[in-house]
Amino acid sequence: MFSNYLIGLREGLEASLVVCILIAYLVKTGRRDALKPIWIGIGIAIALAMGFGCALEFGSQELTFEAQEALGGSLSIVAVGLVTWMVFWMRRTARHLRSELHGRLDAALAMGTGALVATAFLAVGREGLETALFVWASVHAASDGTPRPLIGVALGLATAVLLGWLFYRGALRINLAKFFTWTGGMLVVVAAGVLAYGFHDLQEADWLPGLTHLAFDISDTIPPDSWYGTLLKGVFNFQPDPTVLQITVWLLYLVPTLAIFLAPVGFASGKGKVKGPDEQGTQPAQAPQA
Protein backbone atom coordinates (compact mmCIF):
# COMPACT_ATOMS: atom_id res chain seq x y z
CA MET A 1 0.00 0.00 0.00
CA PHE A 2 2.85 2.41 0.84
CA SER A 3 4.56 1.90 -2.51
CA ASN A 4 1.32 2.70 -4.34
CA TYR A 5 0.75 5.70 -2.07
CA LEU A 6 4.22 6.92 -3.05
CA ILE A 7 3.44 6.44 -6.75
CA GLY A 8 0.18 8.38 -6.44
CA LEU A 9 1.85 11.14 -4.41
CA ARG A 10 4.87 11.55 -6.66
CA GLU A 11 3.07 11.38 -10.01
CA GLY A 12 0.05 13.28 -8.73
CA LEU A 13 2.14 16.12 -7.34
CA GLU A 14 3.93 16.56 -10.65
CA ALA A 15 0.57 16.91 -12.41
CA SER A 16 -0.76 19.19 -9.63
CA LEU A 17 2.25 21.49 -9.95
CA VAL A 18 1.81 21.69 -13.71
CA VAL A 19 -1.85 22.67 -13.26
CA CYS A 20 -0.89 25.09 -10.50
CA ILE A 21 1.70 26.85 -12.67
CA LEU A 22 -0.64 27.11 -15.67
CA ILE A 23 -3.56 28.49 -13.67
CA ALA A 24 -1.44 30.91 -11.63
CA TYR A 25 0.18 32.33 -14.77
CA LEU A 26 -3.16 32.96 -16.45
CA VAL A 27 -4.58 34.62 -13.33
CA LYS A 28 -1.50 36.83 -12.82
CA THR A 29 -1.49 37.93 -16.46
CA GLY A 30 -5.22 38.75 -16.43
CA ARG A 31 -6.21 35.98 -18.85
CA ARG A 32 -8.97 34.35 -16.82
CA ASP A 33 -10.89 33.88 -20.06
CA ALA A 34 -8.37 31.17 -20.95
CA LEU A 35 -9.03 29.14 -17.80
CA LYS A 36 -11.95 27.20 -19.28
CA PRO A 37 -9.94 25.69 -22.18
CA ILE A 38 -7.19 24.78 -19.73
CA TRP A 39 -9.62 22.92 -17.47
CA ILE A 40 -11.15 21.20 -20.52
CA GLY A 41 -7.71 19.94 -21.54
CA ILE A 42 -6.99 18.77 -17.99
CA GLY A 43 -10.34 16.97 -17.83
CA ILE A 44 -9.70 15.18 -21.13
CA ALA A 45 -6.24 14.11 -19.91
CA ILE A 46 -7.65 12.69 -16.67
CA ALA A 47 -10.41 10.85 -18.54
CA LEU A 48 -7.86 9.39 -20.97
CA ALA A 49 -5.64 8.17 -18.11
CA MET A 50 -8.58 6.55 -16.32
CA GLY A 51 -9.77 4.94 -19.55
CA PHE A 52 -6.28 3.62 -20.24
CA GLY A 53 -6.11 2.11 -16.75
CA CYS A 54 -9.53 0.47 -17.12
CA ALA A 55 -8.56 -0.90 -20.53
CA LEU A 56 -5.45 -2.48 -19.06
CA GLU A 57 -7.33 -4.00 -16.12
CA PHE A 58 -10.44 -5.31 -17.82
CA GLY A 59 -8.82 -6.12 -21.15
CA SER A 60 -6.21 -8.36 -19.52
CA GLN A 61 -8.91 -10.40 -17.75
CA GLU A 62 -10.07 -11.83 -21.08
CA LEU A 63 -6.66 -13.38 -21.78
CA THR A 64 -5.32 -16.82 -20.94
CA PHE A 65 -3.05 -17.18 -17.91
CA GLU A 66 0.10 -17.30 -20.05
CA ALA A 67 -1.02 -14.28 -22.05
CA GLN A 68 -1.86 -12.36 -18.86
CA GLU A 69 1.59 -13.05 -17.44
CA ALA A 70 3.28 -12.12 -20.71
CA LEU A 71 1.31 -8.87 -20.91
CA GLY A 72 1.89 -8.07 -17.25
CA GLY A 73 5.61 -8.74 -17.49
CA SER A 74 6.06 -6.76 -20.70
CA LEU A 75 4.11 -3.74 -19.44
CA SER A 76 5.94 -3.86 -16.11
CA ILE A 77 9.24 -3.50 -17.94
CA VAL A 78 7.85 -0.66 -20.07
CA ALA A 79 6.45 1.05 -16.95
CA VAL A 80 9.79 0.84 -15.15
CA GLY A 81 11.52 2.31 -18.19
CA LEU A 82 9.07 5.22 -18.28
CA VAL A 83 9.19 5.94 -14.56
CA THR A 84 13.01 5.80 -14.58
CA TRP A 85 13.13 8.30 -17.42
CA MET A 86 10.59 10.45 -15.56
CA VAL A 87 12.48 10.67 -12.27
CA PHE A 88 15.72 11.60 -14.04
CA TRP A 89 13.93 14.08 -16.32
CA MET A 90 12.22 15.79 -13.39
CA ARG A 91 15.44 16.08 -11.42
CA ARG A 92 17.20 17.62 -14.42
CA THR A 93 14.45 20.04 -15.51
CA ALA A 94 12.59 20.81 -12.27
CA ARG A 95 14.19 24.24 -11.85
CA HIS A 96 13.22 25.18 -15.43
CA LEU A 97 9.69 23.73 -15.34
CA ARG A 98 7.97 27.03 -14.58
CA SER A 99 9.62 29.01 -17.39
CA GLU A 100 9.14 26.14 -19.84
CA LEU A 101 5.41 25.93 -19.14
CA HIS A 102 5.06 29.71 -19.35
CA GLY A 103 6.68 29.66 -22.78
CA ARG A 104 4.31 26.96 -24.01
CA LEU A 105 1.33 28.84 -22.58
CA ASP A 106 2.32 32.12 -24.25
CA ALA A 107 2.52 30.34 -27.60
CA ALA A 108 -0.86 28.67 -27.02
CA LEU A 109 -2.50 31.97 -26.05
CA ALA A 110 -1.38 33.43 -29.35
CA MET A 111 -2.82 30.49 -31.29
CA GLY A 112 -6.26 30.30 -29.70
CA THR A 113 -8.61 28.06 -27.70
CA GLY A 114 -7.68 24.77 -29.35
CA ALA A 115 -4.00 25.31 -28.62
CA LEU A 116 -4.78 26.02 -24.96
CA VAL A 117 -6.74 22.78 -24.66
CA ALA A 118 -3.91 20.88 -26.34
CA THR A 119 -1.26 22.48 -24.11
CA ALA A 120 -3.07 21.51 -20.90
CA PHE A 121 -3.87 18.05 -22.26
CA LEU A 122 -0.27 17.30 -23.23
CA ALA A 123 1.15 18.73 -20.00
CA VAL A 124 -1.11 16.63 -17.77
CA GLY A 125 -1.83 13.70 -20.09
CA ARG A 126 1.71 12.37 -20.09
CA GLU A 127 1.77 12.27 -16.31
CA GLY A 128 -1.65 10.59 -16.29
CA LEU A 129 -0.71 7.84 -18.74
CA GLU A 130 2.58 7.16 -16.93
CA THR A 131 0.72 6.99 -13.62
CA ALA A 132 -1.95 4.63 -14.97
CA LEU A 133 0.63 2.25 -16.47
CA PHE A 134 2.95 2.20 -13.46
CA VAL A 135 0.07 1.87 -10.98
CA TRP A 136 -1.36 -1.05 -12.98
CA ALA A 137 2.05 -2.74 -13.07
CA SER A 138 2.58 -2.16 -9.35
CA VAL A 139 -0.88 -3.42 -8.40
CA HIS A 140 -0.36 -6.43 -10.67
CA ALA A 141 2.95 -7.14 -8.94
CA ALA A 142 1.35 -6.82 -5.48
CA SER A 143 -1.49 -9.18 -6.45
CA ASP A 144 -2.66 -9.61 -2.84
CA GLY A 145 -6.34 -9.78 -3.75
CA THR A 146 -7.25 -6.75 -1.62
CA PRO A 147 -8.17 -3.17 -2.54
CA ARG A 148 -5.26 -1.82 -0.48
CA PRO A 149 -3.01 -1.02 -3.48
CA LEU A 150 -5.78 1.04 -5.10
CA ILE A 151 -6.57 2.71 -1.77
CA GLY A 152 -2.89 3.64 -1.47
CA VAL A 153 -2.91 5.19 -4.94
CA ALA A 154 -6.11 7.12 -4.21
CA LEU A 155 -4.70 8.47 -0.94
CA GLY A 156 -1.48 9.47 -2.68
CA LEU A 157 -3.35 11.33 -5.42
CA ALA A 158 -5.59 13.04 -2.85
CA THR A 159 -2.53 14.17 -0.90
CA ALA A 160 -0.95 15.47 -4.10
CA VAL A 161 -4.05 17.49 -4.98
CA LEU A 162 -4.15 18.96 -1.46
CA LEU A 163 -0.45 19.89 -1.57
CA GLY A 164 -0.88 21.42 -5.02
CA TRP A 165 -3.79 23.54 -3.81
CA LEU A 166 -1.88 24.69 -0.72
CA PHE A 167 1.12 25.49 -2.90
CA TYR A 168 -1.07 27.56 -5.22
CA ARG A 169 -2.68 29.44 -2.34
CA GLY A 170 0.72 30.30 -0.90
CA ALA A 171 0.08 28.37 2.32
CA LEU A 172 2.97 26.01 1.65
CA ARG A 173 6.56 26.48 0.56
CA ILE A 174 8.30 23.31 -0.57
CA ASN A 175 11.89 22.71 -1.60
CA LEU A 176 10.82 20.73 -4.65
CA ALA A 177 14.35 19.74 -5.60
CA LYS A 178 14.82 17.86 -2.32
CA PHE A 179 11.28 16.48 -2.45
CA PHE A 180 11.69 15.04 -5.94
CA THR A 181 15.16 13.72 -5.11
CA TRP A 182 14.01 11.75 -2.05
CA THR A 183 10.73 10.52 -3.53
CA GLY A 184 12.52 9.75 -6.79
CA GLY A 185 15.04 7.61 -4.93
CA MET A 186 12.27 5.71 -3.15
CA LEU A 187 10.45 5.29 -6.45
CA VAL A 188 13.57 3.73 -7.97
CA VAL A 189 13.49 1.13 -5.16
CA VAL A 190 9.82 0.44 -5.90
CA ALA A 191 10.57 0.23 -9.63
CA ALA A 192 13.29 -2.36 -8.98
CA GLY A 193 10.72 -4.63 -7.34
CA VAL A 194 8.24 -4.10 -10.18
CA LEU A 195 10.95 -4.87 -12.74
CA ALA A 196 11.99 -8.08 -10.98
CA TYR A 197 8.37 -9.19 -10.76
CA GLY A 198 7.91 -8.36 -14.43
CA PHE A 199 10.68 -10.78 -15.33
CA HIS A 200 9.06 -13.36 -13.05
CA ASP A 201 5.82 -12.91 -15.02
CA LEU A 202 7.72 -13.55 -18.25
CA GLN A 203 9.14 -16.72 -16.69
CA GLU A 204 5.63 -17.86 -15.75
CA ALA A 205 4.52 -17.14 -19.32
CA ASP A 206 7.37 -19.42 -20.44
CA TRP A 207 8.99 -16.56 -22.34
CA LEU A 208 12.12 -16.77 -20.19
CA PRO A 209 13.76 -19.82 -18.58
CA GLY A 210 14.70 -20.41 -14.95
CA LEU A 211 11.30 -20.41 -13.20
CA THR A 212 12.33 -23.31 -10.96
CA HIS A 213 15.86 -22.00 -10.30
CA LEU A 214 15.38 -20.20 -6.98
CA ALA A 215 18.02 -17.88 -5.54
CA PHE A 216 16.74 -18.72 -2.03
CA ASP A 217 13.53 -19.64 -0.26
CA ILE A 218 12.82 -18.06 3.14
CA SER A 219 9.07 -18.61 3.07
CA ASP A 220 9.29 -20.35 6.46
CA THR A 221 11.09 -17.35 7.98
CA ILE A 222 8.99 -14.68 6.25
CA PRO A 223 5.61 -16.23 5.39
CA PRO A 224 3.95 -14.34 2.51
CA ASP A 225 0.65 -14.22 4.44
CA SER A 226 2.20 -12.79 7.62
CA TRP A 227 1.81 -9.10 8.46
CA TYR A 228 5.50 -8.42 7.94
CA GLY A 229 5.56 -10.47 4.75
CA THR A 230 2.61 -8.46 3.48
CA LEU A 231 4.35 -5.22 4.53
CA LEU A 232 7.55 -6.11 2.67
CA LYS A 233 5.51 -7.15 -0.35
CA GLY A 234 3.54 -3.92 -0.34
CA VAL A 235 6.53 -1.60 0.12
CA PHE A 236 9.32 -3.34 -1.84
CA ASN A 237 7.45 -6.01 -3.86
CA PHE A 238 9.50 -8.47 -1.80
CA GLN A 239 9.19 -12.16 -2.64
CA PRO A 240 10.54 -14.78 -0.19
CA ASP A 241 11.33 -17.25 -2.98
CA PRO A 242 12.70 -15.25 -5.94
CA THR A 243 14.36 -16.86 -8.92
CA VAL A 244 18.00 -16.27 -9.76
CA LEU A 245 16.93 -14.13 -12.72
CA GLN A 246 14.76 -11.93 -10.49
CA ILE A 247 17.58 -11.24 -8.04
CA THR A 248 20.01 -10.58 -10.88
CA VAL A 249 17.67 -8.13 -12.61
CA TRP A 250 16.85 -6.42 -9.29
CA LEU A 251 20.52 -5.84 -8.46
CA LEU A 252 21.55 -4.82 -11.98
CA TYR A 253 18.79 -2.19 -12.05
CA LEU A 254 18.75 -0.91 -8.47
CA VAL A 255 22.45 -0.45 -7.66
CA PRO A 256 23.62 1.57 -10.70
CA THR A 257 20.33 3.46 -11.16
CA LEU A 258 20.17 4.58 -7.54
CA ALA A 259 23.87 5.48 -7.49
CA ILE A 260 23.54 7.62 -10.63
CA PHE A 261 20.31 9.22 -9.46
CA LEU A 262 21.66 10.23 -6.04
CA ALA A 263 24.96 11.50 -7.41
CA PRO A 264 25.35 15.32 -7.20
CA VAL A 265 24.22 17.05 -10.38
CA GLY A 266 24.49 20.73 -9.45
CA PHE A 267 21.62 20.84 -6.99
CA ALA A 268 23.82 21.98 -4.13
CA SER A 269 23.82 25.45 -2.63
CA GLY A 270 20.18 26.03 -3.42
CA LYS A 271 20.62 25.62 -7.19
CA GLY A 272 17.94 22.94 -7.27
CA LYS A 273 15.25 25.00 -5.66
CA VAL A 274 12.19 25.33 -7.86
CA LYS A 275 10.25 28.53 -8.16
CA GLY A 276 6.62 28.31 -7.22
CA PRO A 277 3.80 30.02 -9.08
CA ASP A 278 3.59 32.95 -6.69
CA GLU A 279 7.15 33.43 -5.52
CA GLN A 280 10.67 33.71 -6.84
CA GLY A 281 11.98 30.73 -4.91
CA THR A 282 10.98 27.93 -2.59
CA GLN A 283 11.56 27.44 1.07
CA PRO A 284 10.90 24.59 3.46
CA ALA A 285 7.19 24.02 4.15
CA GLN A 286 5.81 26.58 6.56
CA ALA A 287 2.54 28.18 7.52
CA PRO A 288 1.79 31.64 6.16
CA GLN A 289 2.21 34.63 8.42
CA ALA A 290 -1.01 35.87 9.94
Side-chain angles (χ1 to χ4, degrees):
M1 183 173 177
F2 174 77
S3 62
N4 289 283
Y5 174 83
L6 177 63
I7 295 169
L9 175 62
R10 166 75 190 224
E11 298 285 336
L13 187 58
E14 286 186 26
S16 294
L17 289 174
V18 168
V19 173
C20 176
I21 291 170
L22 293 176
I23 299 301
Y25 184 65
L26 290 176
V27 171
K28 291 182 71 173
T29 55
R31 292 300 307 269
R32 291 179 178 270
D33 57 301
L35 290 177
K36 184 177 180 180
I38 291 295
W39 284 116
I40 291 175
I42 292 170
I44 295 174
I46 293 174
L48 177 64
M50 294 180 65
F52 180 57
C54 290
L56 287 174
E57 176 61 25
F58 296 112
S60 63
Q61 293 179 3
E62 303 299 322
L63 303 175
T64 64
F65 173 78
E66 289 77 10
Q68 286 183 9
E69 297 304 296
L71 177 64
S74 301
L75 290 182
S76 293
I77 294 172
V78 172
V80 170
L82 287 174
V83 80
T84 304
W85 172 83
M86 178 271 298
V87 295
F88 277 97
W89 176 86
M90 178 53 73
R91 191 182 183 196
R92 185 180 67 253
T93 63
R95 46 185 169 165
H96 308 300
L97 181 62
R98 181 170 177 253
S99 59
E100 181 180 333
L101 287 173
H102 286 178
R104 292 181 185 178
L105 200 53
D106 285 335
L109 285 168
M111 295 175 65
T113 301
L116 287 169
V117 173
T119 298
F121 170 77
L122 293 174
V124 179
R126 186 196 65 187
E127 303 293 344
L129 291 175
E130 286 180 358
T131 301
L133 179 56
F134 196 59
V135 165
W136 182 85
S138 181
V139 171
H140 178 75
S143 61
D144 60 0
T146 72
R148 283 179 297 185
L150 293 178
I151 293 174
V153 173
L155 290 176
L157 291 173
T159 304
V161 171
L162 176 61
L163 290 176
W165 181 79
L166 291 174
F167 188 63
Y168 173 77
R169 300 298 300 176
L172 192 65
R173 303 290 186 270
I174 306 174
N175 189 315
L176 295 179
K178 288 185 178 180
F179 175 86
F180 283 125
T181 296
W182 284 103
T183 56
M186 289 188 287
L187 207 54
V188 168
V189 176
V190 173
V194 173
L195 182 63
Y197 201 87
F199 274 80
H200 181 264
D201 280 348
L202 294 181
Q203 288 180 307
E204 289 192 324
D206 204 24
W207 279 26
L208 293 174
L211 181 61
T212 59
H213 296 161
L214 302 184
F216 53 81
D217 187 351
I218 55 174
S219 300
D220 293 335
T221 305
I222 306 179
D225 56 351
S226 64
W227 69 267
Y228 45 92
T230 302
L231 179 64
L232 290 172
K233 177 72 172 178
V235 177
F236 302 110
N237 285 305
F238 172 80
Q239 186 176 335
D241 55 346
T243 64
V244 173
L245 179 60
Q246 280 183 271
I247 291 296
T248 303
V249 167
W250 186 82
L251 288 172
L252 288 177
Y253 171 84
L254 180 63
V255 175
T257 303
L258 199 57
I260 295 171
F261 180 77
L262 295 179
V265 287
F267 276 76
S269 304
K271 292 181 181 180
K273 292 183 178 180
V274 181
K275 298 178 181 179
D278 296 309
E279 65 272 356
Q280 295 302 310
T282 56
Q283 303 171 357
Q286 61 183 18
Q289 297 292 329

